Structures are given as structure tokens and as C-alpha cells.
Amino acid sequence: MSIAVLLKQVPDTTAKIAVSGGRVDQGSVSKWSTSPYDEYALEYALQLKESGAGDLVAITCGPARSSKMLTDAAAVGVDSMLHVEVDTSEMDSKQIQSILAAAVKHCDADVILCGKQAADTNSGSTGPGVASLIDAACVGMVSEVSVDGDGFSALRGTPTGNERVVVSRPCLFAFDKAATELRRPNVKGIMMAKKKVIETVSPGDLGVDIGESGIKINAHDSPPEKPPGQKFEGAESVSTVVTKLREEANVI
Amino acid sequence: MPFEALDFYDVDSLLTDEERMVRDMVRDFVDNEVLPKIEHACRDGVFPDEWRVTLGEMGVLGAPLKGYGCPGLSYTAYGVICRELERGDSGLRSFASVQGSLAMYPIWDFGSEEQKNYYLPKMASGEWIGCFGLTEPDYGSNPGDMITRAEDMGDYYLLNGAKMWITNGSIAKVAVVWAKLDGVIRGFIVEDGDEGFYAPEMKGKHSLKASVTSELVFQDCKIPKDRILPGVKGLRGPFSCLNNARYGISWGAIGAAQACFDSAKEYSLSRIQFDHPIASYQLVQNKLSWMLREITKAQLLAYHLSQKKDAGNWIPEHISLAKMNNVDIALEIARVARDIHGANGVLDEYPVMRHMANLESVKTYEGTHDIHNLILGRHITGIQSFTRDLS
């Protein structure tokens, strides 16, 4: 049995997002990156692999451009890559979860790591959804995971402090910000990545019938522009500033 | 936030996926580990040892060499590595240039099988630092008249003489030293700890302050017989090394220029004078446009040269042109960038004055600007103008 890490390619946090015809204009996104929480999942997946927990496969579900992210993952040490090539832009979370669950089964993986949410949709449902479909234990908000006997020990943040959870296979860890950043590749890894072949399949190849989307997106909108800053000078404006901080900014 | 380098003509789109991945790797290293420390390193006059370790871990030392623990990347990738390192600091790029092109390359090309197996893996990993001893106190542009001599003593060679301006000298485990044996220039591998070998550091530089520069002194220095480089005689040896290092510099200078352009652009957009950002004034825009123009031309020059280098259809004069031009424009861009920053430009809060001071050295080392002009002049006319009989 192997380890799988689920990766999603999202617009880079530095990229400008334009909306055209009620949809995010993907063609105008200058740079795509791996979703940041997924990068933490990848780092800890590599650590589990290095601890002998199994071979590591990186899985993504998305359009052709997503394959670059899998090559980047190969450069830091994943053993194999599976790309379910499909346009996900009009899919709902459940459809994507069913594809990823089938991909996980296809790879014979029973330890799955992913980010707690993607940086573009912020839905947060992929980890729990996939865990439910493959009947795996699900641990969310994870900041650390390691091999513990036959199972795994994970640290997760809660509002009142940290909680340590021990689970056995099959299990899924959805990562929050973690202590260790994703490692940098090296030249050897980059040259190896070039030789690794990405297995590219369609949802049909995996035997998944994703059905119809249960959700219809009406329209995307850019966030409203921030109103300009207000400037106050002199002691006499203190009461005005306090009132505004309390009633408009809601910070005191 | 990762650095977004000026690339007006999208020249990096011509790179292979592998070369782009190497670029991103080195860029990440410079953003996260070099730039936060560079000003301290310059003030203290040290090359941080952790950079040596990380350069070795990344596998970029001796990048275009193949075998013996070296990755065998393209020369284009090597150029990209130099550019990204020099965006951080010319001293950092100098470290990598000297290690890969000047110390590892001659062992790789002219060394015995035993020498390659013994030295190269440890140099590629960064465990052993190398340096290159060619320039002498009285022989810079004219290395052919060097004084350093080797004498065959039967069981060993005896080395006497001195080298100067040697990057990495005091921190090197391995020195590739060029000396005359029976009047012919030969390469010798000298190791730290060899009897009669000293490498005092040269202090007081206003340039390349994060790079170690040393003298190499040989006083009856005994070198075992198996430490001569068997594969080359004459100036072709050191010049082959310099061709590779100069090639890397032609890319590296672009990195320094990009850093200065970026800083000047950001500064001019945020600096308000006479109620408006200075970027809104025509004089400043003219300077920024000129920088963009020269950087774009330099990028195209370096990229085309890299294709010739990888295809093997290059001549040393091609490299002379690129080294001379790209360092020249980088230095001028650094000066204009300092000007745009006004008084703030002299502070180490901004990288421009550091790059400017560094590039003064880069203009002079590895064949001075003027010497490269003479190399091109000889190529054009067929007449050498380096020397003449004035008697």
C-alpha cells in the first residue's frame, strides 16, 4: 500500500485575477502554483515516505497545465504521478471528490495527505469528502504527522491548544500551516523528474461516473475596491477616530 | 514573495522546463537565504559557510560538467544559475564561478582519472572549496610572463612564487595553480596544508566584500608528482577555464542589473517629490527605459551565446563580447539606479551601491573590459595590439 498526496494547481498568490463574462478569466492568470496548504501536505508525505511508510504518489485532478505541478513534485522526490486530466471549472466539490477517491483507489493508496483547503476556492471539503468515500479516518487541521508503530501520529491545532491524534490505515490528513516548509528541489531531483512519466487518465478511465453538478455558479465577481484611507490629525479628532474604530472598523 | 525579474521579451520562455526549474530553485535560495544575510556578510567581510553547504546540496557547483558527481546540465542552465546567484550578489556568483569553472573544470578536462575521482565529487558537493591561481602581483592581463616556477626534483615538484587576487584562496582545500615548468605553463593541484604553501587573505576591499580574496604564496612548496595536470600545456589551460567562467559572468551581470532595475523602479514609484512619484517625471522614465533596453539586449546576447556554447560552435571572441558588454551595461545600470535612489542609494537598505561596487571588480576581473576590446580588435583586424617592441 502506498501514500498519496493530493495537489491542486491554483493561481499564484501574486497573480492578478481578472473576471470576464461572470467567470474568472483563467487565461489571464500569469502564474500558477501548487496550493500552499498542499505544499505542507507534500513535505510531510515525503517525510512519511522517507520513514518507510510506502511509495509516494502525487495526484491531481485538473486541466493540462496542472502537470507542471506534478513534475515539480517529482523533483522533490515523489515516486510516481497521476494526472486526472479534466476541466474542473464547472464541477462541484462532490464530483471532484469522487474523481480523487477513484484516483486514490487506482493508486492503491491508503494514507492520503492534502491541504485543508485550496487557495482559490477555499471550500475545505476535499479532504473530508475523499476520506468519507474511501472509508478512511479523517484528521483535519494537521500541522505535523509522523509514523507511530503501525499507524500515524498527527498534531492538530484546536482553539484551546494542540491535540495529538493516533490513527491507523486507512487515513487521511488535511494540512493546516505546518512547522516545516516544503523542501527545495536539487539539480539531481530536477533531472530525475524529467525522466519520470506522468500517468494521465480521464475520469472515465478510472470508472467514475461523476454525474451532473449539483451546484450552479451564477457569477464570479472581483472583490469590491477598498475605500480610500481616512486621515485624522490633532488631538481634537481622537473621539471621532475612536467612534470610527468602534463602529465602522469594528476593531475596538 | 518570489522575485519577478525584468524579462521584457520573455526570453526565459526559450528555456527548457528543466532550466526553468533550476532557475526557480536558485531564485528561491537567493530570496530566502542570501538576501536576508548579504548586507551583514558584506559588513563582516565574510562568505557565509552555510551558502557553501546549500550550493552543494542544490547541486549547482560544476553544473555543466558530467560525471564524477557532477550533474551535466546544459551551459544554458549554468548561465541561468549564475544570473540568479548574481542577482543576490556578485561575490556569491564569484564563489560558484571559481569553484565550477576555474577549479573543477581544469581537473575535469585536464586531470588524470585518479585526480578526477579523488577531487571532483567532494568539490561538487561543496565539501572541498577550490581556487584558481593564475594572476600574480605584477602579471594581471599578461599572465604569459608569470614568475611562479615549478622545478622537477625527481620525487616531487618544488613550487616558488606568488599569486594575487585569488577568490576563495584562504578557505580553499584545493588550489589549481599555474606555474612554469622548464619555461612551459603547467597546472598543479596544491592542497591546503602542503608544506611551503600559505594563503593570507587580502583585506580592505570596497568591492565583493562577501567574497574571500587572497594571496597564494609558495616558498619551496613541495608538490607530489601525481598532482600535475597531465592533459594540458601552455596558456590554453588557464584560458579554457576562463572562457567558461567569463561565459557565466555574461549571464551573472544580468542578474545584478535586474536587481538594480527592480529596486530603482520600486523606489521611483514610491518616492514623492514635488507632490508626485519621481517615476512620473520624464527624466526618471528615460533612465528606466534605458535600463530596460540594455537589459533586454544583454539577455538576448547571453541566451544566443548559450545556444552556441551548448551546440559547440562558439569561439572565445563570442564570449569576450558578451562578458564585456553585459558587465559594462550592468555597472552603468547600477550607477544610474543609485542616482535614481538619490541619497538613499548609498545606504545598504537598498542593493544598488553594493552591486555597483561589486561590478567594478567584475569589470576588471576575468579579462578587463579593455582587454576584451583588444581580443575583438585582433579578431577584426588580424593584428594583435596587446604589446609591441618600443625599443
Side-chain angles (χ1 to χ4, degrees):
Chain A
M1 298 301 268
S2 60
I3 311 162
V5 60
L6 311 181
L7 304 175
K8 183 178 184 185
Q9 194 185 42
V10 297
D12 190 80
T13 46
T14 61
K16 283 198 177 123
I17 309 292
V19 175
S20 144
R23 288 287 182 276
V24 167
D25 178 9
Q26 300 207 357
S28 73
V29 175
S30 55
K31 190 177 174 192
W32 296 85
S33 300
T34 306
S35 186
Y37 293 118
D38 296 355
E39 289 197 338
Y40 291 113
L42 174 54
E43 172 56 35
Y44 283 85
L46 290 164
Q47 292 183 15
L48 292 184
K49 164 189 144 67
E50 286 158 359
S51 305
D55 284 349
L56 173 59
V57 57
I59 299 172
T60 194
C61 168
R65 59 171 156 72
S66 316
S67 64
K68 183 197 177 292
M69 182 182 61
L70 294 178
T71 309
D72 288 343
V76 287
V78 308
D79 299 297
S80 56
M81 302 90 90
L82 177 66
H83 182 183
V84 188
E85 192 176 326
V86 62
D87 178 8
T88 55
S89 57
E90 297 293 325
M91 284 187 187
D92 68 20
S93 301
K94 203 164 158 245
Q95 290 174 303
I96 292 170
Q97 289 157 20
S98 60
I99 293 171
L100 288 172
V104 165
K105 282 184 184 159
H106 176 78
C107 297
D108 210 16
D110 63 353
V111 183
I112 298 98
L113 295 87
C114 61
K116 65 169 183 173
Q117 66 198 66
D120 53 354
T121 53
N122 273 350
S123 149
S125 61
T126 298
V130 170
S132 162
L133 288 171
I134 63 168
D135 214 11
C138 180
V139 188
M141 300 295 282
V142 174
S143 57
E144 192 184 296
V145 67
S146 56
V147 175
D148 184 353
D150 291 337
F152 301 91
S153 170
L155 194 69
R156 56 186 303 277
T158 75
T160 51
N162 286 335
E163 180 176 57
R164 187 163 286 284
V165 181
V166 176
V167 285
S168 53
R169 298 166 186 253
C171 50
L172 182 144
F173 303 98
F175 268 77
D176 195 358
K177 189 173 177 359
T180 311
E181 299 276 336
L182 176 61
R183 66 195 62 186
R184 188 184 295 126
N186 59 27
V187 168
K188 200 172 156 198
I190 291 169
M191 293 180 88
M192 290 280 282
K194 193 172 62 173
K195 293 181 188 141
K196 287 181 186 163
V197 179
I198 299 172
E199 183 185 358
T200 306
V201 297
S202 68
D205 295 335
L206 296 173
V208 191
D209 177 11
I210 57 167
E212 293 294 314
S213 171
I215 291 173
K216 184 174 172 291
I217 300 165
N218 277 338
H220 290 147
D221 276 318
S222 296
E225 282 200 21
K226 282 186 186 165
Q230 299 176 46
K231 206 170 171 182
F232 301 94
E233 281 178 23
E236 65 277 10
S237 60
V238 168
S239 62
T240 316
V241 173
V242 170
T243 308
K244 280 180 173 290
L245 287 174
R246 184 176 291 134
E247 291 172 8
E248 290 180 24
N250 296 321
V251 291
I252 54 172
Chain B
M1 191 187 290
F3 178 72
E4 289 294 329
L6 171 70
D7 188 6
F8 188 55
Y9 273 14
D10 207 7
V11 182
D12 274 12
S13 67
L14 300 170
L15 301 175
T16 64
D17 287 345
E18 183 177 278
E19 287 157 356
R20 269 194 292 273
M21 286 168 82
V22 169
R23 173 196 68 189
D24 293 345
M25 169 187 76
V26 181
R27 190 170 287 185
D28 179 73
F29 162 65
V30 168
D31 278 337
N32 293 302
E33 293 174 44
V34 176
L35 293 180
K37 291 182 191 159
I38 183 63
E39 297 301 346
H40 271 289
C42 284
R43 279 187 206 173
D44 297 344
V46 295
F47 180 81
D49 193 53
E50 58 265 32
W51 293 354
R52 166 188 67 83
V53 173
T54 309
L55 289 170
E57 283 171 354
M58 287 193 295
V60 299
L61 299 172
L65 309 180
K66 195 163 187 170
Y68 310 99
C70 306
L73 286 175
S74 65
Y75 268 95
T76 309
Y78 172 60
V80 169
I81 291 166
C82 289
R83 184 186 70 191
E84 296 304 320
L85 291 177
E86 195 148 357
R87 200 256 304 176
D89 191 74
S90 302
L92 173 64
R93 200 267 310 135
S94 296
F95 178 94
S97 289
V98 168
Q99 179 81 353
S101 289
L102 299 185
M104 293 172 70
Y105 174 79
I107 296 173
W108 181 83
D109 202 7
F110 311 125
S112 67
E113 205 55 29
E114 290 75 21
Q115 289 168 343
K116 293 179 202 187
N117 281 315
Y118 182 67
Y119 292 105
L120 292 176
K122 284 196 164 67
M123 295 175 81
S125 71
E127 187 181 339
W128 287 354
I129 298 174
C131 69
F132 174 88
L134 176 68
T135 296
E136 299 187 352
D138 293 326
Y139 295 93
S141 295
N142 174 23
D145 284 347
M146 66 172 66
I147 293 173
T148 303
R149 296 276 186 280
E151 203 178 338
D152 189 340
M153 307 300 284
D155 293 343
Y156 57 89
Y157 294 109
L158 201 62
L159 210 56
N160 276 291
K163 300 291 179 180
M164 202 172 182
W165 304 112
I166 310 304
T167 299
N168 295 350
S170 309
I171 55 174
K173 161 80 177 166
V174 183
V176 173
V177 177
W178 303 92
K180 281 185 178 167
L181 177 68
D182 299 325
V184 179
I185 293 174
R186 299 294 302 264
F188 297 87
I189 303 172
V190 181
E191 291 188 10
D192 177 34
D194 279 345
E195 196 184 325
F197 170 46
Y198 313 94
E201 189 172 349
M202 296 170 67
K203 294 285 189 186
K205 287 178 297 174
H206 281 303
S207 173
L208 297 178
K209 291 171 84 162
S211 169
V212 173
T213 310
S214 315
E215 292 176 61
L216 306 181
V217 181
F218 310 98
Q219 287 176 340
D220 289 336
C221 175
K222 281 187 180 176
I223 307 291
K225 278 284 184 74
D226 61 2
R227 295 236 223 101
I228 190 167
L229 294 176
V232 74
K233 290 179 181 175
L235 274 175
R236 185 176 78 79
F239 281 174
S240 309
C241 307
L242 292 170
N243 278 331
N244 287 332
R246 290 166 179 174
Y247 163 79
I249 292 168
S250 73
W251 277 83
I254 296 167
Q258 284 171 323
C260 292
F261 172 83
D262 189 61
S263 188
K265 183 185 105 178
E266 294 302 322
Y267 184 84
S268 65
L269 285 166
S270 62
R271 174 73 175 172
I272 311 289
Q273 287 294 288
F274 302 106
D275 299 329
H276 300 292
I278 60 170
S280 68
Y281 299 124
Q282 292 181 358
L283 282 170
V284 173
Q285 289 194 3
N286 187 46
K287 287 171 183 160
L288 292 170
S289 304
W290 174 79
M291 290 181 184
L292 177 138
R293 184 177 100 195
E294 291 304 326
I295 289 172
T296 303
K297 281 150 66 180
Q299 283 175 303
L300 293 168
L301 203 62
Y303 179 77
H304 189 69
L305 178 63
S306 75
Q307 299 311 293
K308 295 186 80 63
K309 193 89 172 75
D310 278 322
N313 61 354
W314 59 280
I315 54 173
E317 287 81 356
H318 291 151
I319 293 176
S320 285
L321 175 70
K323 189 271 181 187
M324 173 181 68
N325 179 77
N326 291 6
V327 176
D328 193 35
I329 64 102
L331 174 58
E332 204 50 40
I333 284 168
R335 288 171 177 162
V336 174
R338 208 291 306 152
D339 177 30
I340 291 174
H341 284 74
N344 283 312
V346 307
L347 294 175
D348 64 10
E349 193 179 328
Y350 299 95
V352 291
M353 189 112 169
R354 176 168 52 80
H355 281 300
M356 188 188 91
N358 284 341
L359 288 162
E360 292 285 353
S361 292
V362 180
K363 186 178 182 180
T364 290
Y365 74 20
E366 300 271 0
T368 68
H369 183 85
D370 286 346
I371 286 290
H372 285 300
N373 269 317
L374 300 190
I375 289 170
L376 289 170
R378 179 182 60 186
H379 179 73
I380 297 162
T381 63
I383 306 165
Q384 70 82 18
S385 59
F386 300 105
T387 187
R388 68 193 61 201
D389 187 359
L390 294 177
S391 56

